[in-house]
Amino acid sequence: MTSVDFPKHKKAKALKPGSRRPAKELCSECGLCDTYYVHYVKEACAFINQQFETLELQSHGATRNLDNPDEVYFGVHQEMMAARKQQPIEGAQWTGIVSSIAIEMLNRGMVEGVVCVQNTKEDRFGPMPVIARTPEEVLAARVNKPTLSPNLSVLEQIEQSGMKRLLVIGVGCQIQALRAVEKQLGLEKLYVLGTPCVDNVTRAGLQKFLDTTSKSPDTVVYYEFMQDFRVHFKHEDGSTELVPFFGLNTKELKDVFAPSCMSCFDYVNSLADLVVGYMGAPFGWQWILVRNDTGKEMLDLVKDQIDTQPVMSQGDRKAAVQQSIPAYDKGVTLPMWAAKLMGVVIEKIGPKGLEYARFSIDSHFTRNYLYVKRQHPEKLEAHVPEFAKRIVGQYKLPE
Ligand code: FAD
Ligand code: SF4
């Protein structure tokens, strides 16, 4: 490479750890600014320049069809299904479909490395992004690190290593920035495997959540906000603790979520090739969205390791969402007996499958819309995408 075509970004300098980021308090610590790709931050950052349409077109060859209700909610996709591994991976967040796909891609030589996040030696939830080159290193990254994680901080290593084929696993804000700099990475092929993401927290915020919600915060190895309207905590001794959503201490927890996550409208990871979550699937199953041909190629690798079934949808979320808006706004916490009762009733008659996913999207988008409107009114128009405005527009919001 001559000095003439030497990429300009290599002259940029990563920002110092702990220094204020260009997105200020909205920064989700995606890791981009920890590299010389900070050069592109004004265009690439999900919280400075929301650009779903441009990046959807670049990634999938199409933008969301706003006349198709499923695309308004779940983004561009060719196929949706529920799936679970026939032999779940021990210690994975769900059944380990994400880790299994990454392992297959390495084993078959489709990629030379996988960007994923392991944990630090001292802290099981402390995020440590790596480029995994072996199945063992991918397995060591299984299970959610339920904190903001600077996954893109390893991007400089990709160029330095000379890698040409790469898989990146990540959540929406990381993937938005990645897509914006994709062409600068010097790769022949990039695969993107995403998970949905919502209500993330800093490491300190996570501690506050565990301390306020679990009876034994220090022994929690895993948790998930499940489709049965309960938080499931798994402890070191293998026991499971269940806490109903409606019994959460909303007042205490109101400020626990990161400002980035309070202003995010990319719950479903719109720009990944393939998305693996759980919320659109029946309890115990994972939920898969194939967004494009690359995503299909990735899913096909594990077809013989998974059972699948069509997605289903049951119930009507609208009244429950409308009621949750002022309750959250005022920080109402129900007494535990009432929360448990409400949880049981809602589980029996409440939304299931895709309707549960819509329930969760509606509740979070209405909350986040109010947050942006109040905290960053100058950003409201450009930051909230059209699909989210349509979703929020179905509800009556307080001023
Ligand atoms: P595993 O095989 O256990 O692999 C998990 C992968 O996640 C690993 O490769 C790891 O690199 C990656 N990872 C872990 N932590 C992070 C992180 N902080 N940032 C980026 N990547 C990470 N799904 C829903 O349907 N609804 C939700 O509301 C929802 N919220 C989520 C919130 C967070 C913070 C995260 C990280 C995920 C969330 N998911 C959600 C996805 C879901 O919990 C599972 O991660 C997904 O179904 C994959 O399960 P698995 O067993 O296949 O993953
Ligand atoms: Fe930089 Fe990422 Fe923070 Fe935006 S979210 S300021 S790109 S580290």
Side-chain angles (χ1 to χ4, degrees):
M1 188 178 277
T2 66
S3 59
V4 180
D5 57 9
F6 193 76
K8 272 204 216 122
H9 62 249
K10 288 206 174 176
K11 290 193 189 138
K13 265 219 163 96
L15 299 184
K16 289 206 180 78
S19 65
R20 196 151 166 84
R21 298 301 195 233
K24 303 189 182 108
E25 72 275 21
L26 291 185
C27 172
S28 70
E29 296 169 29
C30 77
L32 187 84
C33 294
D34 302 333
T35 71
Y36 48 52
Y37 294 102
V38 65
H39 178 75
Y40 302 104
V41 64
K42 286 209 176 109
E43 303 95 73
C45 176
F47 304 95
I48 297 176
N49 181 32
Q50 190 87 267
Q51 47 168 340
F52 286 111
E53 287 200 0
T54 312
L55 295 177
E56 276 174 344
L57 207 52
Q58 173 193 309
S59 314
H60 315 313
T63 59
R64 279 180 205 232
N65 175 0
L66 295 181
D67 296 325
N68 174 341
D70 275 351
E71 291 213 357
V72 170
Y73 270 86
F74 310 128
V76 175
H77 61 277
Q78 300 178 346
E79 218 182 334
M80 253 197 280
M81 71 194 76
R84 63 180 178 202
K85 281 208 73 195
Q86 289 149 2
Q87 288 171 336
I89 295 182
E90 175 81 26
Q93 183 71 13
W94 280 77
T95 70
I97 294 178
V98 166
S99 299
S100 302
I101 292 173
I103 288 170
E104 279 303 317
M105 292 181 78
L106 277 175
N107 282 345
R108 296 184 195 210
M110 286 168 69
V111 293
E112 295 146 286
V114 177
V115 173
C116 52
V117 50
Q118 300 177 347
N119 59 298
T120 59
K121 276 207 184 71
E122 315 74 54
D123 179 3
R124 65 164 70 102
F125 291 134
M128 187 175 79
V130 296
I131 305 177
R133 292 164 189 258
T134 64
E136 292 72 29
E137 287 168 352
V138 169
L139 272 181
R142 72 192 185 280
V143 81
N144 292 358
K145 273 38 98 191
T147 58
L148 301 177
S149 171
N151 281 22
L152 301 186
S153 61
V154 297
L155 281 191
E156 278 184 28
Q157 292 172 34
I158 291 160
E159 243 182 312
Q160 284 152 8
S161 70
M163 241 177 230
K164 291 292 171 206
R165 304 180 70 81
L166 184 77
L167 168 67
V168 175
I169 300 172
V171 297
C173 54
Q174 299 158 359
I175 302 307
Q176 282 186 55
L178 174 75
R179 286 297 196 192
V181 301
E182 175 177 351
K183 293 205 177 77
Q184 316 300 334
L185 299 176
L187 294 171
E188 279 161 18
K189 180 75 183 169
L190 171 70
Y191 293 87
V192 181
L193 178 47
T195 68
C197 182
V198 81
D199 288 351
N200 216 342
V201 287
T202 60
R203 186 61 188 82
L206 172 63
Q207 204 53 46
K208 186 171 178 193
F209 170 71
L210 295 174
D211 290 345
T212 14
T213 314
S214 170
K215 290 204 175 98
S216 171
D218 294 338
T219 59
V220 173
V221 289
Y222 152 108
Y223 73 81
E224 191 78 86
F225 284 72
M226 290 279 194
Q227 299 103 315
D228 63 356
F229 295 86
R230 283 184 277 234
V231 189
H232 291 217
F233 291 102
K234 207 193 263 157
H235 292 280
E236 277 166 353
D237 64 0
S239 65
T240 304
E241 177 188 0
L242 305 178
V243 180
F245 288 0
F246 305 101
L248 291 180
N249 191 337
T250 343
K251 217 176 228 152
E252 273 281 313
L253 293 176
K254 215 167 180 219
D255 302 324
V256 86
F257 302 123
S260 53
C261 308
M262 295 291 289
S263 45
C264 169
F265 296 92
D266 195 23
Y267 195 168
V268 295
N269 211 325
S270 316
L271 301 170
D273 299 311
L274 181 70
V275 177
V276 181
Y278 66 89
M279 66 182 176
F283 189 70
W285 290 72
Q286 293 189 257
W287 173 53
I288 298 195
L289 281 157
V290 179
R291 298 210 180 281
N292 56 34
D293 291 344
T294 303
K296 184 161 170 32
E297 191 190 341
M298 291 154 74
L299 183 62
D300 281 347
L301 299 172
V302 297
K303 271 274 160 83
D304 58 350
Q305 301 175 31
I306 57 175
D307 292 325
T308 61
Q309 61 166 307
V311 280
M312 49 75 81
S313 187
Q314 198 182 305
D316 184 351
R317 72 201 180 275
K318 291 238 173 93
V321 174
Q322 186 64 66
Q323 276 160 22
S324 75
I325 298 171
Y328 183 85
D329 211 36
K330 293 195 195 106
V332 175
T333 303
L334 290 180
M336 196 46 89
W337 65 266
K340 282 194 176 142
L341 186 68
M342 188 143 154
V344 171
V345 174
I346 287 236
E347 199 194 339
K348 283 234 160 64
I349 58 161
K352 294 207 167 53
L354 291 182
E355 189 67 1
Y356 176 85
R358 292 186 201 99
F359 165 82
S360 195
I361 291 171
D362 287 356
S363 325
H364 287 96
F365 279 17
T366 47
R367 181 197 70 183
N368 289 8
Y369 184 88
L370 281 174
Y371 179 86
V372 178
K373 189 174 164 200
R374 289 169 184 168
Q375 305 297 324
H376 301 279
E378 74 294 347
K379 283 182 85 76
L380 193 69
E381 190 46 39
H383 183 69
V384 184
E386 183 54 31
F387 61 84
K389 285 184 183 141
R390 293 196 183 192
I391 289 171
V392 172
Q394 300 170 101
Y395 298 96
K396 203 164 157 316
L397 301 188
E399 272 312 302

